[in-house]
Amino acid sequence: NLDPNTLYTVTVAAVTGGGDGESASTSATTDSLPNMAVNIDNTASNSLDVSWDPVVDATSYDVSWSESGSSVVLDSQIVNDNAVTISQLSPHTTYAVTVSAKGTNS
């Protein structure tokens, strides 16, 4: 499995009983993953309904959240759909929600 947006170099050389032959190299950068648009569909005093566009070949999504401006993840859920309700939140608090697609290539 290759990482997205990463430069890789491939070098090929012939190896014979007489030693190594000349080598040839080429480099290429893998494509970046598309950004997902994450939508807040509904808010209540202690919950958020979050949705996003499905990602091709994703088998699940890791949804995590923290208070805005904090790097401390408060909780996370693995979901199989492209929507989730995040509950047990504090009223009048701004949250940052992160969604990561998971699949056979992740």
Side-chain angles (χ1 to χ4, degrees):
N1 292 340
L2 302 178
D3 293 322
N5 199 34
T6 302
L7 176 66
Y8 289 93
T9 301
V10 177
T11 303
V12 178
V15 179
T16 66
D20 294 346
E22 289 188 39
S23 64
S25 296
T26 188
S27 297
T29 301
T30 52
D31 293 337
S32 297
L33 291 175
N35 289 330
M36 292 188 309
V38 177
N39 305 301
I40 304 299
D41 299 316
N42 192 28
T43 62
S45 63
N46 65 348
S47 66
L48 298 171
D49 291 338
V50 182
S51 67
W52 53 92
D53 292 334
V55 174
V56 175
D57 294 331
T59 56
S60 64
Y61 300 90
D62 183 2
V63 182
S64 61
W65 56 95
S66 59
E67 286 190 25
S68 186
S70 173
S71 61
V72 177
V73 174
L74 297 174
D75 205 353
S76 65
Q77 293 181 21
I78 302 293
V79 297
N80 296 323
D81 200 1
N82 64 313
V84 66
T85 297
I86 300 172
S87 57
Q88 298 181 344
L89 302 176
S90 298
H92 308 291
T93 304
T94 303
Y95 291 91
V97 178
T98 303
V99 179
S100 301
K102 303 294 181 186
T104 57
N105 295 324
S106 62

